[in-house]
């Protein structure tokens, strides 16, 4: 007889049920599930110029910090104007001697190779991205890294078909392009910038944001492994002065900037009168509009994704919710319940929904604008979740009773903060949604196709999502209206910004 049956089994230890008010919260306390892949970080990252890692002329380095625990991850080289000039010389040489002479099908091979090597090292890159920037691992793993690879794959497909970018016209590369990117999607923004430039036959000098340079320099390792000719892509790390040197260099035939509207305006002023081509992807204050015929639970998930994805560090975040008056109370109740069960904490934990705010400076900006919201009379709701003792964190926040005159309805907070306004008619929704200096994106939630088409036509936003939010595809162009900038990234429209037409 199997001994097991005879074995005396001790009674299972039952956990004492929590007090009723805590039962719901208790259910959501998952065990820690940290991602353990090795991010393979170096202690020091040099500049990537002419296909090699080189020390900065100044000999200066700055620290990159993990915003989740305030620990130093690595030292990053600080490029000055001399380093930027060296990067441009390397890029010009590569353009003149190699890259512009290669047929598109040869350039495509390199882009395919980069995409595949990135896929091979996807988990390692996801962990590095999360540690350097603070975003939850499930986002870097399931969104940032796969989308970055997808951009290289997509543009590899274009490189030998450029005659179809503008049928009937002859397309030609521009030369060397200078690019500066922000910290919210470090690797993805790099792919958005580099892949179309290279597919079109241009060479690149690019500066990542100072708080998130690591995955850029890891991508440089992939460029080396892919055998990308020296100087085709050059990466210079540093602060605002490095960015200004990249944008202002005389060898830049075109500059592409993604970042704040404020810095975008400084760059545009400094380049006024030059013949540089320019594209600007700037800030946003998107309206997510929900009508009373929308499937509410689905819409609530979309609204949550629209603003709390990546801690609200998203230029196209649905930071203003315009809700149809008859359903306002019901939607607000559902949103409050939903954010009460979002898990805020260690970004490397696979269960985390909201990770760390990218930097102390950004956390201070969020806190300042939230205090303004309270002072101006909006009603604040935050769940009572515990935040880690170390690191930069902010609770998901909903403001109700917001009006268009409030600063939290007009200014980009760039954090996990949703401002809720109401409307009665379609025209009022359109008027309120368009009543902003920005025009990057918008969302519409309704059962009526005709209403979606009307709003898509009348909303002054580069992207209008219908019954979904924050959906991206390399084939779909992305870009803004008004102070959200000009030019497009993605699709054949994005390629048009990297060529001249005869
Ligand atoms: P930011 O302060 O404008 O910085 C963006 C980049 O510009 C960084 O690399 C920054 O370097 C550099 N920079 C700063 N001053 C400069 C100058 N005078 N000349 C040249 N470069 C300069 O923006 P951020 O705070 O990093 O990023 C958040 C902003 O980006 C938000 O407004 C967001 O909406 C926008 N964004 C827009 C899009 C889009 O597609 N429209 C996408 C993502 C983000 P440092 O890092 O050293 O300061
Ligand atoms: Mg960092």
């Amino acid at each position: 007889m199997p001994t097991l049956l005879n074995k005396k089994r001790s009674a299972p230890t039952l956990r004492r049920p929590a007090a009723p008010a805590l039962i719901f919260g208790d259910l959501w306390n998952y065990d820690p599930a940290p991602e353990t892949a090795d991010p393979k970080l170096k202690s020091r990252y040099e500049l990537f110029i002419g296909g090699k890692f080189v020390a900065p002329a100044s000999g200066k380095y700055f620290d990159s910090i993990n915003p989740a625990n305030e620990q130093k991850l690595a030292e990053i080289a600080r490029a000055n104007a001399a380093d930027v000039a060296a990067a441009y010389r390397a890029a010009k040489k590569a353009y003149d001697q190699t890259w512009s002479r290669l047929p598109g099908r040869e350039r495509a091979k390199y882009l395919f190779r980069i995409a595949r090597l990135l896929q091979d090292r996807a988990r390692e890159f996801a962990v590095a991205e999360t540690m350097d920037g603070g975003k939850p691992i499930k986002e870097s793993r399931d969104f940032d890294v796969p989308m970055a690879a997808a951009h290289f794959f997509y543009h590899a497909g274009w490189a030998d078909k450029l005659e179809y970018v503008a049928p009937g016209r002859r397309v030609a590369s521009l030369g060397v392009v200078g690019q500066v990117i922000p910290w919210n999607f470090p690797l993805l923004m790099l792919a958005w910038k580099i892949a179309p430039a290279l597919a079109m036959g241009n060479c690149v000098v690019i500066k990542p944001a100072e708080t998130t340079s690591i995955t850029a320099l890891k991508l440089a390792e992939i460029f080396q492994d892919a055998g990308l000719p020296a100087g085709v892509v050059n990466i210079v790390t540093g602060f605002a002065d490095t960015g200004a040197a990249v944008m202002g260099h005389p060898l830049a035939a075109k500059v592409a900037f993604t970042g704040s509207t404020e810095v975008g305006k400084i760059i545009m002023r400094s380049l006024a009168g030059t013949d540089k081509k320019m594209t600007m992807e700037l800030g946003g204050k998107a309206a997510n509009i929900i009508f009373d015929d929308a499937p509410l639970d689905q819409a609530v998930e979309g609204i949550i994704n629209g603003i709390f994805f990546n801690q609200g560090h998203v230029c196209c975040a649905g930071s203003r919710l315009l809700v149809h008056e008859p359903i306002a109370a019901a939607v607000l109740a559902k949103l409050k319940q939903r954010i009460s069960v979002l898990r805020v904490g260690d970004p490397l934990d696979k269960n985390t929904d909201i990770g760390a705010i990218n930097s102390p400076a950004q956390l201070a900006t969020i806190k300042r604008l939230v205090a303004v919201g309270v002072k101006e009379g909006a009603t604040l709701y935050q769940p009572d979740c515990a935040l880690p003792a170390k690191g930069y964190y902010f609770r998901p926040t909903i403001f109700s009773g917001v009006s268009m005159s409030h600063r939290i309805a007009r200014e980009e907070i760039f954090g996990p903060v949703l401002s809720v306004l109401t409307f009665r008619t379609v025209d009022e929704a359109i008027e309120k949604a368009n009543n902003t200096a920005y025009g990057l994106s918008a969302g519409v939630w309704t059962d009526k196709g005709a209403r979606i088409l009307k709003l898509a036509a009348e909303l002054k936003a580069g992207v209008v999502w219908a019954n979904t939010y924050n959906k991206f595809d390399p084939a779909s162009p992305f870009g803004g209206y008004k102070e959200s900038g000009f030019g497009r990234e993605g699709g054949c429209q994005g390629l048009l910004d990297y060529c001249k037409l005869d």
Side-chain angles (χ1 to χ4, degrees), residues 216-342:
L217 294 158
K218 284 176 75 69
L219 193 66
E221 296 168 7
I222 284 187
F223 295 152
Q224 286 184 326
D225 291 348
L228 188 71
V232 170
V233 177
N234 304 275
I235 301 173
V236 284
T237 43
F239 301 158
D241 57 324
T242 314
V246 169
M247 296 281 96
H249 197 278
L251 279 180
K254 177 221 161 91
V255 296
F257 174 76
T258 297
S260 60
T261 296
E262 189 191 350
V263 173
K265 286 180 182 176
I266 295 173
I267 295 169
M268 284 188 267
R269 271 197 294 272
S270 72
L271 297 185
T274 70
D275 66 348
K276 290 187 199 312
K277 253 178 107 105
M278 208 189 289
T279 44
M280 293 276 151
E281 303 284 358
L282 308 175
K285 191 74 191 176
N288 213 348
I289 308 169
I290 169 167
F291 288 92
D292 60 358
D293 60 349
L296 285 200
D297 290 330
Q298 212 175 306
V300 164
E301 278 312 300
I303 293 158
I304 294 286
N305 168 46
I307 180 64
F308 298 117
F309 173 57
N310 196 20
Q311 296 75 248
H313 294 340
V314 184
C315 49
C316 52
S319 53
R320 288 184 297 156
L321 174 65
L322 302 188
V323 51
H324 210 170
E325 228 174 65
I327 55 164
V331 168
L332 191 59
K334 279 178 187 285
L335 286 171
K336 286 180 179 175
Q337 188 192 50
R338 187 68 185 86
I339 68 165
S340 302
V341 293
L342 289 178

Side-chain angles (χ1 to χ4, degrees), residues 63-67 73 131-134 210-214 358:
D63 292 345
S64 202
I65 303 294
N66 181 345
L73 289 174
M131 288 176 78
D132 203 20
E210 71 193 55
T211 56
T212 53
S213 299
I214 287 180
N358 183 261

Side-chain angles (χ1 to χ4, degrees), residues 320 322 402-407 409-410 421 432-433 435-436:
R320 288 184 297 156
L322 302 188
V402 179
S403 75
M404 283 308 297
S405 61
H406 288 158
R407 280 178 63 191
R410 290 183 282 119
L421 298 91
K432 280 188 166 158
N435 186 0
T436 163

Side-chain angles (χ1 to χ4, degrees), residues 25-43:
D26 233 15
L27 275 177
W28 292 90
N29 276 338
Y30 288 11
D31 284 340
E35 169 61 63
T36 49
D38 181 0
K40 300 200 179 122
L41 301 184
K42 295 180 190 163
S43 57

Side-chain angles (χ1 to χ4, degrees), residues 47-216:
L47 307 173
F48 184 65
I49 297 177
K52 294 196 190 83
F53 288 99
V54 296
S58 66
K60 288 190 181 142
Y61 293 81
F62 59 95
D63 292 345
S64 202
I65 303 294
N66 181 345
N69 56 21
E70 301 174 44
Q71 279 168 10
K72 175 177 161 179
L73 289 174
E75 278 176 0
I76 313 284
R78 183 169 178 183
N80 63 17
D83 298 305
V84 171
Y88 270 99
R89 281 196 301 275
K92 183 80 172 84
K93 187 173 163 202
Y95 178 77
D96 290 340
Q97 298 182 2
T98 322
W99 201 242
S100 67
R101 297 179 178 199
L102 282 183
R105 63 176 185 281
E106 291 301 317
R107 292 200 304 274
K109 285 183 194 166
Y110 290 105
L111 292 170
F112 275 125
R113 222 176 276 163
I114 292 164
R116 281 196 221 101
L117 287 168
L118 185 54
Q119 283 184 323
D120 286 349
R121 293 171 62 179
R123 200 53 72 96
E124 171 198 331
F125 268 74
V127 173
E129 192 76 322
T130 282
M131 288 176 78
D132 203 20
K135 64 176 64 196
I137 186 70
K138 66 180 178 191
E139 285 171 15
S140 45
R141 181 196 63 198
D142 299 345
F143 181 74
D144 296 60
V145 178
M147 280 299 280
H151 270 266
F152 282 105
F153 274 124
Y154 174 78
H155 288 93
W158 267 114
D160 62 349
K161 304 172 194 70
L162 296 175
E163 65 269 31
Y164 298 104
V165 170
R169 309 280 301 273
R170 227 173 58 83
V171 296
S173 57
L174 297 168
V176 180
V177 298
Q179 305 173 323
V180 171
I181 54 172
W183 43 259
N184 57 345
F185 291 94
L187 185 67
L188 185 57
M189 288 295 125
L190 217 64
W192 279 29
K193 292 272 180 288
I194 294 174
L198 263 50
M200 212 15 116
N202 303 293
C203 291
V204 165
V205 175
I206 187 164
K207 185 196 104 65
E210 71 193 55
T211 56
T212 53
S213 299
I214 287 180
T215 45

